[in-house]
Every structure is written in structure tokens, then in C-alpha cells.
Amino acid sequence: MASSKKKKVCVVGAGVSGLASARELLREGHDVTVMEQSGDVGGQWLYDTRVDAGDPLGAAGVHSSMYSSVRLFTPRQVTGFSGFPFYPSSSGAGDARRYPCHGEFLRYIRDFCHAFGLMDTIRLNTKVLRVGVAPLCSDDDGTMRWTVRFAVKQGEAGGEVVTTEEEVFDAVVVAVGQYTQPRLPTTIDGMDMWTRRQLHSHSYRVPDSFSGEAVVVVGFHKSGKDIALELCEVASEVHVSVKSMDHDVTPGVSMALLHPQIDRLCEDGRVVFVDGSCVVADAIIYCTGYDYSFPFLDTGGLVTVDDNRVGPLFDHTFPPAMAPSLSFVGIPNKVVVPRFYEVQARWVAQVLSGRRSLPAPEEMTRAAEEYNLAREIAGVPKRRAHDVSDLEYCDVFGEERCGFPALEEWKKELLLSSIASMRDRTESFRDDYVDSELVMAGLRSEGWMACPHVMYPGSLYTRRRSVSLPSELRSASLPSHALRSLFARAPLLRGRPSPDAAAPPGSRGVQQRVGNLTAVQQRRRSSDVQAASLLHGRGDSGGKRRLCAGEIENKEEWAWRTRDRTCRHGVVVSLEQSAATMASSSKTKKVCVIAPACRLLREGHAVTVMEQSAGVGGQWLNDPATDAGDPLGAAGVHSGVYASLRLNAPRDSMGFSDFPFFPQATTPAAIHVGNIRDFCHAFGLMNVVRINTKVLNVSPRRDDDGIMRWTVRCAAEQGDDEATVVEEVFDAVVVASGQYSHPRLPTIDVSRCVFRVRTLSTDKYLGMESWRRRQLHSHSYRVPDSFRDEIVVVVGCGESGKEIALELREVAREVHVSVKSMDAVVPGMRKAIERMCEDGRVMFADGSCVVADAIIYCTGYDYSFPFLDTGGLVSVDDNRVGPLYEHTFPPAMAPSLSFVGVPSQVAAPRFYEVQARWVAQVLSGRRSLPETEEIMCAAREVAGGVTRRLSHAIFFDLDYCDEFAEKHCGFPRMEGWKKELLLAAIARLRDDTESFRDDYHDSELVVEGLRSEGWLAKASPDTR
Ligand SMILES: Cc1cc2nc3c(=O)[nH]c(=O)nc-3n(C[C@H](O)[C@H](O)[C@H](O)COP(=O)(O)OP(=O)(O)OC[C@H]3O[C@@H](n4cnc5c(N)ncnc54)[C@H](O)[C@@H]3O)c2cc1C
């Protein structure tokens, strides 16, 4: 590790830009400390009920400007961090809509921190008070460093203690956001004299306190529109003052009365506009935006905020005189967030580590000046210096600055259509949308089609149409009075049920709200309702039953609340049908996966995963239960993981693609299940998993249409040991039930004195039945304690044999390891067992013998699919599953039956992801399989060349795995450094079982790879 490149970096702020910075800096191997003044991460998204504090026009000591009703205005598909899609929560809780509420985004930000181990770097309740250049010390190399002074708050409010400390850092990244310091209009006379309520939208949370009041909303951008709309529900009058009738008015909001700019405020409550008109108002809310503010930053005037332009900044990021040790992430506006901030963060991280270089300071200053000049010439006001509004520029920026991939075209289209709809249909754009073919294909490719509720409201069932305002309104040249009257006429449909429609179950809440309105409001409402019901008849596509807004909202709630398996499945099936209708090819399949769902979901299939255990994780779901009178068998338990098990492949090579298996503060390094759960959570897989559901029988059926489908019979545990047996028909079944649950036992053949392996069911092992002492298979071994002071024979010296023998040596009196081949060198090694005697003697093939207390068979496992009824078309013969084309498809039943997870000695889970992607693509028709005859021949040919029971061992032939992946599904090749890392670990596992996990030395290639993925930041022996 090139430690000279590692910098001690302080990030100020744990909002999305601070967190993106932390992740990128860690990836690059820096030592990161994030200081966050609040008690949690999330920045703006950490909704804070506190407002005002006597400062309703200022920041009021509060960071977040979120109001209670905020829903994202950007679709969740483009709002996530790279490599970590903002899928709906798998727990069923939360808001799965495309434009979810603010709490849902906060949930996602927290998940992001968790998934990338960022919490370890964050100091909460730590407010940065001053950042200034650190004085040079005698032993300094002349590099600019920074002294950060900060206040740490401990204890509860009231009794809290605040201590102030200082620390020196190599670099500081400022990531404090841009939506906290209210910007107020400067041209309104009498603001100080007006005695009625005035506040900035920063201090607005809920509409309730404006009930029955006349309110003037100043500003008509995102929050101005949103707030005006929701005030229309409670206020007696809502007036909106816009700066420019030409630019600010879009036909998005009905009901509010429109005015030009305010000229003055009078003591008697009048608000006088520049056209001379006036209203008497109870309150004014300034939705007039924010200013950048860095009160803690002491740069001696080298960085300033001038009319909201931060500068000079090279590409919105580096102040030339202080780069790269001082940088800003999160300044640009009108960019894709958090994506653009990730790009900035990655650039900063790479510049700090020396992987990228910056131009000379003078050149950066000149570039910043030229940029400002170009903007001025283009007529962009200074205060909009950081408005980007250009996705192509963002792509070029990402590519040139740090090699960040361009935003996918479908995401651009989705985002741009959202922005256009927001402008034109503020009231409805979030729930009424129609996607283009390109967007649909993109959604499908990333698995969004399978997130049940994300697509639900707009695309599939119901299109909530807003009222299209008359076309005249779209003309910007209309005089203000014409606009005013049009706005006044336009009806508000939001949340209002049609009086003709039978009250749907979900509309009650809406009606109650209507019931609380003032008389004036109710009168106005009733005429609106009529207008609304008339308009409902228009624009209705496909003759579908039209639902009112309230109904839809409640329907979604209902779907979430009743997220039991029936409901979930129903939704999935419906989605499948709808997705099929919408997709150009109706290739989505209803697939049952027995025990890799992610790839199938990505391909848009309707997936049900049946899992017999009470949680996900399979083998990694450590089960202390053993034995149950069947120590040589499976003992009714799936997992054979023993307590001390540590991964035998480095975690750096063991994650799912795009989801590195980074350490977590809360996850023991040894066990994999935490990462598996996080993976399920991050990709919304729990929505499709039915736990406690054991598959009893899977059998093919031919329906009238001649298509092969599958009947799946399963027992769903209901609690209290009760199970309901149900049958269901699926288009396809993917068997992913593992290969390490059915113990394989030795047969000791005295006549030939060879040690052969047979399954327990062959019942031929001489001496084993009459040996009265303890015998168990490693499947039933958990801890060494019960072997204390005993003489133990371990049979087999594969990975688990070696490891169990090693740990037994700590407690047992003697440990003997019986091996087939004396090539291996293991302490206490003995030849194969030849005979076992009733008196406890165990005789070995070389004539030696021990009197043992226990024998542990570490003799491996057999494939077993007891539920699979294929009429003999797929069988397990001496541990070869076949015939199988490329270990995956049984020729006679492909592609509707497939196996994922049969190959052994591969990089898992990667190889299984490849198989899963292949299966998913074949099922959707994106890939085809050769003719049955051809794949049958291929399956036979492969089978002909290898020892039967090793048919599925790939022996870590990683080049073969790459070719397999490329050929079958276009899966990217495994990085060279990961191959080297994995092969080195495997080699050392064989030669040095005792210490290979904690004593390793990485090559230059591996070190560079580790750095590129951020592993070096976690590089201690116990975290790898
Ligand atoms: C009402 C509203 C709705 C929005 N809706 C959307 C949307 O739909 N889509 C979208 O993309 N964007 C939206 N945004 C913009 C949103 O703010 C950005 O997407 C993003 O959250 C900005 O993140 P950030 O980390 O740069 O800043 P912030 O989220 O503001 O985080 C800055 C962090 O710095 C901390 N901090 C500040 N000063 C100090 C200090 N001295 N010491 C220590 N910590 C400090 C703060 O406590 C905070 O946690 C919205 C903003 C608002 C206000």
C-alpha cells in the first residue's frame, strides 16, 4: 500500500455529498473523518420538526428545510448512489412509489452508510466551528494542512456537555449543502414593519397553522408550487407572487391566485404588488431559495461567496490557491444528485492520492474566470453560477475528471421527462406518468419492473390525469389579469373523489379532510368536484376503471400494509401480466426459485423464492441445531456451518457483483450472512422470498397450449408447528437448493482395503453399524467442546477435515486424521480406515490401530433433490447431476427447469450469478439455447471426460469461468487482481491451513486492485 498517497481527510457534513465523499475517499485508501453537527446522517433529508426559534426568516438554528409533505421530485431510479439502486425497502415498510416521501430517502441514505461501512468514519454531534490553514511546523514538508476546530456535543438536550477540540488534517472536503441559509427578496419595502406572519420556506413544515388564513407565497419554483398547492387545502386564499410572468409561470398549479412581484408591505396587512393590485394577507411565505454559506471557513478571503457565487472555484470544486487540500463537494445545482456529487468526490479522492493531477493554480484561476465570463455573456446571473442543467456536460465532466461512467440514456430520458412533467403538471406528475419504450427497457434491465409498487400507480393500472389547463395558459405573453382569472377558474383535482363514483375504501381520509374545511372552501370544493367529475371522463386510456387520487393512495397503503404472502404474490402476478402487456415482447415468466432471485428480477420476471428456513442465507444461516438422532445424516438441518468457520476465500473476491462484501461495524468478520441479508435488503429481494416454505414436490405438466409448466407443492409453516400444503403452477423453476446438506459417508471395503465413498443409503460400510461409540458427519459438528480429552479420528482431509482436526487439537487428547492419499501432509495422519471393531478399535490400512472415542466423517456431500419429480429425466448418479447442459439446463426440460449452484470449486457467488443471469435471459427470450439434441450431446460429451463424482468440480479454472460468463450472458470477466487474490488464497489454504487467513502478502497487482475498490481503507487482517 502506497502510504505516502494516503491522506488524512476531514469531510464536513454527512449529507449525501459528504457521504459520497467518504465512500470515494475510502475507496482511494484515505483516512477519512466525517464531522456532522446533527445526531444522524442525511443532511436535508433528516426532517426536523423544529422551526422558527424567533428567526422565521433566517435559518432558525436548524439545518434541514424539509417540510412534512415533501416527496422527491426526481424519480428514485435516478436518485440513487452508483452501484446501490434506491430500490424500495424489502421489509415491506416504507414508501415504494417512484417519487417517494422524504423519509424513504433518509432510509435509503442510512442503508447506503451501512452497506459501505461509512458509519465507522462519521462523528455525529460534531459541529465544525473553524477550518483554517494550519501553521507550518519545523518538520513539515511545506504542504498546506488544515486545522479543524470543532464542538462535540454529548448527553441529552438540557444536560448536554459541549467540548471544543482541534485536529490537523491533510485535506478538508466541504460538503455542507446549499439549502439552509434563506435568501430573501431585497426589493420589498416595509418587510420590517409588517407585523403579521412572515417566514421563509426553510421554516415551513405543515399547512395546519394557516387554516382559514389568506396567504401570499412568494416564488413559484419547486417548493413554492408545492407549498401553495398544499395550502390550497386549508387556507381561505392562496396568492402566489412571481418574479417573472414570462419565466416563472408554468401551467402546473391550479387554484392559487397569481400576482406579479410584491412592491411593498403595509402595516395594515396589505400586500401591494408592482402592478398596483393588493390583497390583505395574514401570512407571507418566502419560497425564494437559499444562499451558499460557509461561516466556519477561514481562507483569508481566498474563497468567498459573492452574490451566491462561490469562488474562485475550478470546476465548482477546487479553489485554485488552496487545491487540492481544500475542496467543495455539492456546490453545483441542477445536476443529478447524488450522482454528480459522487463524481466530484471521486475526482477529489483521486487528486488527493496523486492518481490525477490538477492544472497549475494560475491555469485553474484562468479557467474559473473564463467560465464566469462565458456565463455572464450568456446572460446567466451571477447567483446562478453553479446551475448546471446539462446532462451531457455532466457526462463529459465525469469522464474527463475521474473516468466516471456516463449516465445511461434511459435515465436521462426519465429524468428529463420528469422535469418537464413537474413544470407542466405539478399537481399530478408524481403519480401520473407514462414511460417510453427506452425507459421501460432500462427499467427492466435494472430490475425495476419487478419492484411491485414502484411501477404501480402510474404505469400499470391507473393514470391519474391532472386537469390540462387551457392552452392559452401556456402562452407566456398573457397579461397578468388573464393568468389570474384562468388560475382562479382551473379546478383542483388533487385528492378529490368523484361524487358519482361509489366511495372506494380508500377515499375516506380524503372525504374527512374535505369535511374539515371552512364553508368558503367547501363551496369552492363542491364546484370543483363537479368540474373534476366531468374531466374524469376525458383522457381515459384503455377504458380502465378510473380511480380517484385518494383511492390510489389508499390502495398503495393497503398493498403495503397487507404485505403478506398472498398479497405479495398477487401483486407480482399482476405485475407480470402488466409488464408483459407493456413490454414489446411478452417474455416475462412466473418463476419459482427454490432457495438467485436478483438476476431474474432484473430481467423483469415475476419471481417467488421458496425457502424452507426462517431466514435467507442458506448454509450461512448458522444453525446450532444438530444431531436429532441422525448424526450421520442431515439431522433435519440444512446448514453444516460450524461455529468457528471462517471464509476460505478472501472477502474481497466473495461479494455479489456491484455489492462488495465490505466489513460492517456490526457484522462479525467471519460469517457471510450479514452481507447476504444486506444484499437482499439493497435489492428488494425480501419482497419475493417466502420463508418457512418447504418445497415438497416439483413436477412438470403439459397444459393445453402445449407449453411445459411446473406444479410446485410446498408446505408453508404457519407457526405452532402447523403447515399448510399448497400447490401452485409456475412457468419455470430454478433449483438452487445447495450442495452441502446431504452427508456423504465412506464405505469401508475390507476385501479390497480401499476406501471408497458411497452415500449412506447404500448401507454397505462394514463395522460402522456395530461401532457403538460416537460417529458423526461434519454436517453435525458445531463446536469442539464435547470432544474434550477424547481420542478422535477425523476421516478426510479436505478443507473442513483439516480445520476441524486443527481445532480439536486444542481440546482433544489425540486427533488422528485418516486420509485416502498419503500425499497430503497433516499432523496425526493415518491411512484409510480398514475396519472398525465393537471394542472401539479403529484399524487403518497400514495395520496400525487406535482405540477412539469418536469418529468425525469429513467426507463431503452429495447432491440431493428429493422434491424433484422429473420421471427420471434428471437424476443424481454417483454425485453427477445429469444430464445437464453446462451444469445448468437439463436438455429435455430446458429452459423451464434449471439449476443454479451445482458447480463446485468456483468463485461464489459470482459463478452462480452468471448462471442466474443466463437462466433469466434465456427465460425472457433474450438468449436462446441450442436444439435439445445438441445440448444433450454437449452434456454427454462433458460427462464422458471426467470422474463421475467430480463432474461439477471446476477446480477454480477462472479462465473457463470467464469464458462461460461471456459466452452465455455477457457477464464481465473477473478482474485480474481478484483472480490472483483468490488463487493465492486457495493455494495457501491447501499448504498452510493454519495461518493463511491472517498471514498473507499481496502482490502489487492485488494492492492496486484493492485500492481501486476501496478495500485498503479496511485493510486490517481481521476485516479481510
Ligand atoms: C425541500 C427540499 C426538497 C428537495 N428535493 C429533492 C429531490 O427530490 N431530489 C434531489 O435530487 N434533491 C432534492 N433536494 C436537494 C437536496 O438537498 C440534495 O439532493 C442533497 O440532499 C444535498 O446534499 P448535501 O450533502 O450536499 O447537503 P445537505 O443534505 O444539506 O447536507 C449537509 C450536511 O452538512 C452538515 N453541516 C453543515 N454545517 C456543518 C458544520 N459546521 N459542521 C458539521 N456539519 C455541518 C449538515 O448538518 C448536513 O448534515 C431537495 C432539497 C430541499 C430543501
Side-chain angles (χ1 to χ4, degrees):
M1 171 168 158
S3 57
S4 59
K5 305 279 172 68
K6 178 173 169 170
K7 297 279 190 305
K8 183 181 173 194
V9 189
C10 173
V11 177
V12 189
V16 293
S17 51
L19 296 172
S21 304
R23 183 209 203 182
E24 296 299 335
L25 288 160
L26 286 174
R27 275 192 211 237
E28 199 60 23
H30 298 294
D31 172 4
V32 185
T33 301
V34 182
M35 298 196 184
E36 169 53 54
Q37 62 188 3
S38 313
D40 200 352
V41 299
Q44 283 297 337
W45 302 96
L46 194 61
Y47 176 70
D48 192 336
T49 48
R50 290 174 305 154
V51 286
D52 217 324
D55 182 22
L57 290 174
V62 169
H63 181 82
S64 174
S65 305
M66 284 289 142
Y67 37 94
S68 170
S69 63
V70 167
R71 280 177 68 187
L72 260 69
F73 59 81
T74 45
R76 65 190 310 149
Q77 289 86 351
V78 287
T79 313
F81 293 93
S82 55
F84 192 72
F86 180 18
Y87 287 132
S89 158
S90 54
S91 69
D95 179 351
R97 292 173 295 184
R98 178 177 284 191
Y99 302 87
C101 60
H102 55 82
E104 172 75 358
F105 195 51
L106 180 64
R107 188 271 306 160
Y108 166 77
I109 295 173
R110 286 178 176 144
D111 287 353
F112 173 75
C113 290
H114 183 61
F116 292 93
L118 303 184
M119 290 311 293
D120 298 347
T121 66
I122 302 172
R123 299 187 200 166
L124 297 173
N125 295 312
T126 304
K127 180 175 177 133
V128 171
L129 305 173
R130 182 180 175 274
V131 171
V133 177
L136 283 179
C137 304
S138 51
D139 56 344
D140 268 353
D141 54 4
T143 313
M144 184 183 280
R145 291 194 172 78
W146 296 86
T147 304
V148 177
R149 190 159 73 240
F150 51 94
V152 184
K153 208 164 61 181
Q154 276 158 334
E156 295 294 309
E160 71 199 17
V161 181
V162 179
T163 50
T164 304
E165 295 171 40
E166 276 191 358
E167 203 168 327
V168 175
F169 290 86
D170 296 322
V172 171
V173 179
V174 177
V176 294
Q178 49 173 292
Y179 298 101
T180 295
Q181 183 58 49
R183 182 180 181 83
L184 290 170
T186 50
T187 55
I188 302 176
D189 281 341
M191 268 178 78
D192 313 344
M193 327 270 286
W194 211 66
T195 48
R196 304 190 177 187
R197 185 148 54 137
Q198 294 183 78
L199 63 154
H200 189 274
S201 56
H202 174 73
S203 292
Y204 173 88
R205 294 293 179 272
V206 286
D208 308 17
S209 67
F210 300 90
S211 179
E213 293 196 344
V215 187
V216 176
V217 174
V218 183
F220 202 48
H221 295 287
K222 286 171 216 115
S223 53
K225 281 182 180 173
D226 267 357
I227 291 173
L229 259 173
E230 87 173 349
L231 286 172
C232 285
E233 301 276 328
V234 300
S236 62
E237 289 170 33
V238 178
H239 303 266
V240 177
S241 160
V242 297
K243 199 166 192 180
S244 156
M245 289 292 182
D246 291 348
H247 296 112
D248 294 348
V249 177
T250 55
V253 180
S254 54
M255 289 296 285
L257 294 163
L258 206 67
H259 303 267
Q261 274 186 279
I262 299 176
D263 177 52
R264 63 181 189 281
L265 305 180
C266 308
E267 277 184 66
D268 60 2
R270 274 178 308 138
V271 177
V272 183
F273 302 97
V274 291
D275 63 355
S277 63
C278 79
V279 297
V280 177
D282 300 298
I284 304 178
I285 306 177
Y286 298 97
C287 301
T288 41
Y290 297 87
D291 280 336
Y292 295 98
S293 170
F294 314 102
F296 52 84
L297 199 57
D298 180 359
T299 60
L302 287 175
V303 184
T304 57
V305 183
D306 171 17
D307 191 15
N308 217 30
R309 183 169 75 196
V310 188
L313 283 187
F314 177 56
D315 272 353
H316 312 280
T317 312
F318 289 106
M322 303 174 134
S325 67
L326 181 66
S327 58
F328 293 78
V329 170
I331 298 270
N333 195 3
K334 301 194 175 166
V335 289
V336 183
V337 176
R339 188 187 171 81
F340 195 84
Y341 302 158
E342 290 187 281
V343 173
Q344 288 188 290
R346 188 171 297 183
W347 184 28
V348 170
Q350 293 185 356
V351 170
L352 285 175
S353 68
R355 275 221 283 159
R356 306 251 167 194
S357 56
L358 292 175
E362 314 75 57
E363 218 173 301
M364 288 194 278
T365 307
R366 199 171 48 247
E369 286 167 359
E370 282 171 5
Y371 174 83
N372 291 341
L373 188 64
R375 303 279 287 192
E376 275 164 35
I377 293 169
V380 180
K382 193 189 276 186
R383 65 190 169 78
R384 302 236 170 270
H386 302 293
D387 282 9
V388 174
S389 304
D390 182 346
L391 294 178
E392 302 310 321
Y393 165 84
C394 294
D395 278 354
V396 174
F397 189 107
E399 171 71 41
E400 286 183 355
R401 296 295 170 223
C402 58
F404 208 94
L407 184 64
E408 298 89 328
E409 286 306 315
W410 71 269
K411 288 192 180 163
K412 289 183 186 161
E413 187 169 312
L414 177 58
L415 181 68
L416 294 176
S417 72
S418 304
I419 292 170
S421 314
M422 172 173 63
R423 203 189 49 229
D424 297 343
R425 299 185 292 108
T426 307
E427 287 176 47
S428 61
F429 81 98
R430 290 187 176 90
D431 296 315
D432 177 5
Y433 44 80
V434 179
D435 296 321
S436 70
E437 279 295 316
L438 177 73
V439 171
M440 298 265 290
L443 291 167
R444 196 176 301 117
S445 72
E446 277 201 2
W448 292 99
M449 299 293 259
C451 297
H453 305 287
V454 182
M455 298 297 296
Y456 178 123
S459 310
L460 301 186
Y461 295 98
T462 54
R463 288 202 183 119
R464 197 154 30 126
R465 292 272 171 223
S466 62
V467 182
S468 317
L469 292 178
S471 58
E472 317 91 92
L473 192 58
R474 292 170 194 271
S475 152
S477 60
L478 276 180
S480 62
H481 67 269
L483 284 170
R484 267 209 304 277
S485 63
L486 281 166
F487 268 94
R489 266 177 22 219
L492 176 73
L493 286 187
R494 194 163 172 268
R496 194 137 333 119
S498 156
D500 303 336
S507 62
R508 230 178 53 225
V510 175
Q511 283 167 342
Q512 276 167 357
R513 284 220 315 263
V514 171
N516 288 338
L517 299 178
T518 61
V520 179
Q521 288 167 324
Q522 284 194 22
R523 265 200 313 281
R524 202 160 65 184
R525 283 299 133 84
S526 69
S527 60
D528 291 344
V529 167
Q530 281 160 19
S533 65
L534 280 174
L535 282 157
H536 269 315
R538 284 205 247 138
D540 198 344
S541 60
K544 283 206 172 83
R545 190 171 74 89
R546 183 154 285 283
L547 307 174
C548 72
E551 187 181 357
I552 295 165
E553 275 161 17
N554 277 273
K555 198 163 169 153
E556 284 163 13
E557 251 174 50
W558 171 84
W560 280 100
R561 264 192 276 112
T562 56
R563 186 169 272 278
D564 57 66
R565 51 180 76 110
T566 332
C567 165
R568 184 172 56 225
H569 193 59
V571 172
V572 172
V573 174
S574 310
L575 243 184
E576 172 207 13
Q577 288 156 354
S578 309
T581 318
M582 293 191 304
S584 49
S585 63
S586 53
K587 294 290 170 54
T588 51
K589 296 281 190 293
K590 180 181 174 191
V591 187
C592 174
V593 186
I594 298 162
C598 194
R599 292 292 164 195
L600 289 157
L601 287 172
R602 281 193 194 208
E603 198 63 20
H605 299 294
V607 182
T608 300
V609 181
M610 298 193 180
E611 167 54 54
Q612 63 185 6
S613 314
V616 297
Q619 279 297 335
W620 303 99
L621 196 61
N622 199 0
D623 188 342
T626 53
D627 215 325
D630 183 22
L632 289 174
V637 170
H638 181 80
S639 172
V641 165
Y642 39 95
S644 63
L645 187 86
R646 285 177 64 187
L647 301 184
N648 57 24
R651 63 189 308 147
D652 332 48
S653 67
M654 271 204 70
F656 291 96
S657 54
D658 294 343
F659 196 74
F661 177 22
F662 284 134
Q664 302 286 342
T666 52
T667 310
I671 297 298
H672 201 189
V673 74
N675 176 254
I676 296 175
R677 287 189 185 128
D678 289 349
F679 175 75
C680 287
H681 189 57
F683 292 92
L685 301 187
M686 291 314 292
N687 296 333
V688 301
V689 179
R690 298 185 197 172
I691 55 167
N692 292 321
T693 303
K694 182 174 175 122
V695 171
L696 305 173
N697 184 272
V698 172
S699 52
R701 47 186 279 154
R702 279 265 176 223
D703 288 332
D704 293 344
D705 55 10
I707 295 175
M708 181 186 282
R709 292 193 179 80
W710 296 85
T711 304
V712 176
R713 191 162 75 243
C714 59
E717 236 177 71
Q718 306 290 316
D720 298 334
D721 287 340
E722 275 187 27
T724 316
V725 175
V726 285
E727 272 194 1
E728 210 166 323
V729 177
F730 290 84
D731 297 320
V733 170
V734 181
V735 177
S737 51
Q739 50 174 289
Y740 301 104
S741 292
H742 194 263
R744 183 179 181 82
L745 288 169
T747 298
I748 298 158
D749 185 331
V750 186
S751 58
R752 288 198 284 145
C753 287
V754 289
F755 190 58
R756 286 194 291 119
V757 178
R758 289 269 174 85
T759 56
L760 181 60
S761 55
T762 56
D763 199 20
K764 271 192 160 181
Y765 28 89
L766 286 173
M768 274 176 80
E769 300 108 316
S770 46
W771 210 71
R772 299 279 162 243
R773 307 188 175 188
R774 183 148 56 136
Q775 295 183 76
L776 66 154
H777 188 274
S778 58
H779 179 73
S780 293
Y781 173 87
R782 292 293 179 273
V783 285
D785 308 16
S786 67
F787 300 90
R788 185 164 299 279
D789 298 328
E790 291 196 344
I791 298 173
V792 187
V793 176
V794 172
V795 181
C797 80
E799 286 146 35
S800 54
K802 276 187 190 170
E803 293 199 336
I804 290 173
L806 258 175
E807 97 170 343
L808 284 173
R809 234 163 246 132
E810 302 281 316
V811 299
R813 183 144 46 104
E814 287 172 29
V815 179
H816 303 267
V817 182
S818 160
V819 296
K820 268 186 292 179
S821 146
M822 297 301 275
D823 295 346
V825 183
V826 188
M829 202 161 73
R830 301 274 178 168
K831 285 206 162 181
I833 295 176
E834 193 179 272
R835 170 183 222 97
M836 293 156 65
C837 309
E838 273 184 69
D839 60 6
R841 273 174 308 143
V842 178
M843 324 275 292
F844 299 98
D846 61 1
S848 64
C849 115
V850 294
V851 177
D853 299 299
I855 303 180
I856 306 177
Y857 298 98
C858 301
T859 42
Y861 295 87
D862 278 335
Y863 296 99
S864 171
F865 311 103
F867 50 83
L868 199 56
D869 179 4
T870 60
L873 287 174
V874 184
S875 59
V876 182
D877 175 14
D878 194 12
N879 219 26
R880 172 190 292 164
V881 186
L884 281 189
Y885 175 54
E886 297 273 48
H887 312 281
T888 309
F889 290 106
M893 302 172 136
S896 68
L897 181 67
S898 58
F899 292 76
V900 168
V902 167
S904 63
Q905 303 192 37
V906 287
R910 186 187 171 85
F911 194 84
Y912 305 149
E913 285 186 89
V914 171
Q915 286 189 291
R917 187 180 290 190
W918 183 28
V919 168
Q921 295 184 356
V922 170
L923 286 176
S924 67
R926 278 221 282 156
R927 302 255 167 191
S928 53
L929 292 175
E931 293 299 316
T932 309
E933 275 310 300
E934 207 179 314
I935 58 177
M936 187 65 95
C937 287
R940 278 197 208 110
E941 259 172 40
V942 172
V946 282
T947 312
R948 201 169 277 270
R949 69 186 171 77
L950 294 177
S951 294
H952 304 294
I954 309 295
F955 303 108
F956 295 100
D957 181 344
L958 301 179
D959 292 330
Y960 163 81
C961 295
D962 276 352
E963 280 159 29
F964 185 107
E966 193 144 27
K967 174 168 132 201
H968 291 313
C969 59
F971 204 93
R973 304 174 85 84
M974 192 174 191
E975 297 86 334
W977 69 270
K978 282 193 185 160
K979 286 185 183 165
E980 190 173 310
L981 182 65
L982 178 61
L983 294 178
I986 300 299
R988 297 209 47 231
L989 160 72
R990 283 179 194 138
D991 302 343
D992 185 10
T993 311
E994 272 180 73
S995 64
F996 82 101
R997 289 189 176 88
D998 297 319
D999 177 11
Y1000 46 80
H1001 179 76
D1002 295 325
S1003 70
E1004 276 297 312
L1005 177 73
V1006 170
V1007 170
E1008 187 50 35
L1010 290 167
R1011 184 177 306 117
S1012 70
E1013 277 201 3
W1015 289 100
L1016 286 190
K1018 315 274 179 188
S1020 72
D1022 56 340
T1023 56
R1024 285 253 313 277

